[in-house]
């Protein structure tokens, strides 16, 4: 026969778990908002030509090869800032270990970044830089989140 957990213990732990889930969702929302905002600035400065066929990989490859370096730098900066801001917010809101918050959000962002890199052709340096930006941004968020947690607990 299965033992039921003590009612008080379950009631006390549920809000913590819900808070951590909410923190991760909030962190993902912040990450996505930051990435979109930075990339919108880039798209405003270097708009895609009208009628560009996003389904033709050769057209996209030609288009991206003609973009100036700064235009390609905007998405990389957006990935870095998104991977920094979202997990940091989650660390500040949540009660779980910062590494857990950063790990969950970082893996989601990394998966989306890799999916984007597979879907649309990019120069090799861009692909490597985009993945590195997510990893470095997440690592920095972990360091800042852990530091903030230590200060809050002291």
């Amino acid at each position: 026969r299965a033992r039921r957990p003590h009612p008080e213990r379950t009631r006390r732990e549920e809000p913590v778990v819900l808070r951590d889930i909410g923190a991760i969702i909030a962190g993902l929302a912040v990450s996505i908002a930051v990435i979109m905002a930075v990339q919108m600035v880039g798209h405003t400065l270097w708009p895609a030509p009208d009628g560009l066929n996003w389904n033709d990989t050769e057209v996209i490859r030609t288009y991206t090869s003609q973009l100036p370096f700064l235009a390609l730098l905007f998405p990389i900066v957006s990935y870095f800032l998104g991977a920094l801001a979202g997990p940091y917010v989650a660390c500040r809101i949540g009660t779980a270990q910062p590494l857990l918050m950063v790990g969950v959000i970082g893996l989601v962002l990394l998966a989306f970044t890799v999916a984007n890199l597979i879907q649309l052709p990019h120069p090799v340096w861009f692909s490597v830089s985009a993945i590195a930006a997510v990893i470095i941004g997440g690592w920095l968020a972990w360091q800042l989140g852990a530091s903030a947690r230590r200060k809050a607990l002291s």
Side-chain angles (χ1 to χ4, degrees), residues 28-69:
L28 280 169
V30 167
S31 289
I32 292 167
V34 167
I35 290 169
M36 287 176 63
V38 172
Q39 289 193 16
M40 272 197 258
V41 171
H43 289 302
T44 302
L45 295 173
W46 294 279
D50 290 334
L52 184 70
N53 183 0
W54 291 99
N55 296 321
D56 186 342
T57 55
E58 279 310 309
V59 169
I60 300 302
R61 183 173 282 121
T62 302
Y63 169 65
T64 56
S65 70
Q66 295 171 352
L67 285 171
F69 175 75

Side-chain angles (χ1 to χ4, degrees), residues 80 83-84 129-142:
F80 171 77
L84 172 63
S129 299
I131 291 170
V134 172
I135 292 169
I136 294 168
W139 177 83
L140 188 55
W142 174 44

Side-chain angles (χ1 to χ4, degrees), residues 9-21 95:
R9 175 179 253 170
T10 303
R11 269 190 240 122
R12 235 180 295 131
E13 291 174 359
E14 281 176 5
V16 171
V17 171
L18 292 176
R19 181 175 177 161
D20 290 340
I21 291 170
T95 60

Side-chain angles (χ1 to χ4, degrees), residues 57-131:
T57 55
E58 279 310 309
V59 169
I60 300 302
R61 183 173 282 121
T62 302
Y63 169 65
T64 56
S65 70
Q66 295 171 352
L67 285 171
F69 175 75
L70 283 177
L72 293 173
L73 198 59
F74 266 82
I76 293 169
V77 170
S78 77
Y79 297 149
F80 171 77
L81 293 175
L84 172 63
Y88 180 74
V89 167
C91 288
R92 297 295 302 196
I93 295 171
T95 60
Q97 290 295 319
L99 184 57
L100 176 67
M101 300 290 179
V102 171
V104 170
I105 297 170
L107 286 175
V108 170
L109 293 177
L110 195 57
F112 281 126
T113 301
V114 169
N116 177 280
L117 294 171
I118 290 170
Q119 185 178 17
L120 298 172
H122 295 87
V124 173
W125 70 265
F126 180 93
S127 300
V128 171
S129 299
I131 291 170

